Amino acid sequence: MATEDKDGRQPRVVAIAIDNSDYAEKAFDWYLEKIRRDDDVIVLIHIPESYDFSLAREWSPVTLQKEAFDFTIPSPGVMRQLLDELEKSVKALEDKFAEKVKAYGIDGKFRTGAGKPGEAIIKIAKEENATMIITGTRGLGKIRRTVLGSVSDYVIHHSPVPVLVCRM
């Protein structure tokens, strides 16, 4: 971690939640244009979408001949395909944001996590000793937010540090 600057202040550790949405990219760009300081250290946090591997089945003559299809064992081929797609998606996202970080000469890192996005963002932000969290929002209405849940809403209510939600 960087040390105090010439004014005696500690650099900020800014955790920025990102995904493949325009909302996340706009929140990141807003940070860069409006509040970034030269001594900031950023932690880009991405929580990939989770798959329900219980649905990862492959039909074959062997499984069709059984009286009852075994729903407890996912197909290795389908699981590998899903994991490969996920890995490619995460790598593309990391590369996309790495270009922006490099262009601005920012110190930082890219972290991924698993689980419920809001919980994982808070966990990683705590591990990195973040001094603030920035996230975008999809701008869901009250009913949709209640039914679907809101990552930004969860982060606001559970974060131990200030949260900036960029609504575009």
Side-chain angles (χ1 to χ4, degrees), residues 64-88:
L64 293 174
Q65 290 174 2
K66 293 182 181 179
E67 282 185 32
F69 187 74
D70 183 0
F71 285 99
T72 60
I73 303 170
S75 163
V78 174
M79 282 183 56
R80 174 64 9 222
Q81 180 182 356
L82 291 172
L83 291 172
D84 287 347
E85 288 173 12
L86 180 63
E87 189 176 309
K88 286 177 188 171

Side-chain angles (χ1 to χ4, degrees), residues 1-2 5 9-16 31-32 34-43 101 104-109 131-132 134:
M1 177 87 62
D5 68 6
R9 66 180 182 194
Q10 289 285 337
R12 296 183 302 187
V13 177
V14 181
I16 305 175
Y31 158 77
L32 290 174
K34 305 291 186 188
I35 65 170
R36 181 184 74 85
R37 292 195 295 208
D38 291 339
D39 63 343
D40 281 352
V41 175
I42 64 168
V43 180
V101 168
Y104 278 83
I106 303 170
D107 185 20
K109 64 173 82 169
T131 52
M132 73 183 306
I134 297 175

Side-chain angles (χ1 to χ4, degrees), residues 146-167:
T146 302
V147 173
L148 297 175
S150 165
V151 173
S152 58
D153 192 55
Y154 182 91
V155 172
I156 289 167
H157 288 93
H158 294 87
S159 174
V161 297
V163 177
L164 188 146
V165 179
C166 290
R167 183 172 181 165

